[in-house]
Amino acid sequence: MLRDKMFAYHKWATQELLSHTEKYGDEIYRKEGESSFSSIKETVSHVITVEKLWLLRMAGTEKPAAEHFRVDTAAEAKQAFMLLHAEMELYFSSLSEEQWQEVMAFTNLRGDSFEETREEMLFTFINHASYHRGQVTSLLRQFGKEGKAIDYIYFPKENR
């Protein structure tokens, strides 16, 4: 199924970028630059917090509270994402096709009301993370480091 492939890609891209960032050391991970968030660490912290919010919304919590994760190093971030993604995978595997298409009501942190299917929520947070992975790559380049090719086209090639 497309959503299984997209989630598998999402997990892979997250770990690939964090592993790539980790090799430059935690100084680069925490270094401040010009982006929506002040550092790679702050960007990663935002993404994992939002992903947990999406999981809670998908599970039926209309107004979930933001949980903060310990991601002070790239290694901690890799571990935190691995655990969250395993929790997501377990939840996703319990859903029937009808449940994936069920419309869920939720309120975002700004107080705006939405209704989306679980499948739409999945695509929303994968797209959100892709946007921020691009920002991490941009920060790495600002710091004189190479980015990492993690577009979807590389995923099937490396995971056959």
Side-chain angles (χ1 to χ4, degrees), residues 122-140:
L122 175 71
F123 292 139
T124 297
F125 82 73
I126 290 173
N127 184 60
H128 174 260
S130 290
Y131 172 79
H132 288 298
R133 284 191 292 265
Q135 289 182 321
V136 169
T137 297
S138 179
L139 283 166
L140 286 171

Side-chain angles (χ1 to χ4, degrees), residues 6 24 50 52 54 56-57 63-64 77 108 119-120 125:
M6 291 305 297
Y24 294 123
V50 169
K52 180 64 181 235
W54 281 110
L56 293 169
R57 290 171 182 150
K63 294 181 184 180
N108 71 8
E119 187 171 74
E120 289 169 327
F125 82 73

Side-chain angles (χ1 to χ4, degrees), residues 102-152:
E102 181 182 0
V103 175
M104 308 293 292
F106 64 93
T107 304
N108 71 8
L109 295 176
R110 292 186 181 130
D112 301 322
S113 296
F114 291 88
E115 290 187 352
E116 289 188 346
T117 66
R118 285 183 178 95
E119 187 171 74
E120 289 169 327
M121 290 180 188
L122 175 71
F123 292 139
T124 297
F125 82 73
I126 290 173
N127 184 60
H128 174 260
S130 290
Y131 172 79
H132 288 298
R133 284 191 292 265
Q135 289 182 321
V136 169
T137 297
S138 179
L139 283 166
L140 286 171
R141 290 180 180 148
Q142 281 180 40
F143 305 149
K145 306 300 181 190
E146 283 187 38
K148 170 78 173 159
I150 53 171
D151 290 329
Y152 182 83

Side-chain angles (χ1 to χ4, degrees), residues 16-31:
E16 285 289 305
L17 186 58
L18 287 169
S19 291
H20 179 74
T21 302
E22 186 178 30
K23 76 181 187 182
Y24 294 123
D26 290 328
E27 181 182 325
I28 291 295
Y29 179 75
R30 290 190 289 266
K31 185 174 182 172

Side-chain angles (χ1 to χ4, degrees), residues 30-135:
R30 290 190 289 266
K31 185 174 182 172
E32 293 200 4
E34 296 294 321
S35 191
S36 302
F37 294 93
S38 62
S39 65
I40 294 170
K41 175 190 173 284
E42 293 303 317
T43 305
V44 167
S45 178
H46 165 74
V47 172
I48 195 165
T49 297
V50 169
E51 284 193 25
K52 180 64 181 235
L53 286 172
W54 281 110
L55 175 60
L56 293 169
R57 290 171 182 150
M58 292 171 87
T61 305
E62 192 171 329
K63 294 181 184 180
E67 180 178 334
H68 296 282
F69 292 81
R70 185 175 173 95
V71 292
D72 294 332
T73 66
E76 287 178 349
K78 284 171 52 178
Q79 181 68 20
F81 271 107
M82 194 178 312
L83 292 171
L84 178 59
H85 290 162
E87 181 182 355
M88 289 177 153
E89 230 168 11
L90 186 61
Y91 174 70
F92 296 162
S93 70
S94 76
L95 297 173
S96 67
E97 185 58 35
E98 293 77 28
Q99 289 170 313
W100 275 106
Q101 301 311 319
E102 181 182 0
V103 175
M104 308 293 292
F106 64 93
T107 304
N108 71 8
L109 295 176
R110 292 186 181 130
D112 301 322
S113 296
F114 291 88
E115 290 187 352
E116 289 188 346
T117 66
R118 285 183 178 95
E119 187 171 74
E120 289 169 327
M121 290 180 188
L122 175 71
F123 292 139
T124 297
F125 82 73
I126 290 173
N127 184 60
H128 174 260
S130 290
Y131 172 79
H132 288 298
R133 284 191 292 265
Q135 289 182 321

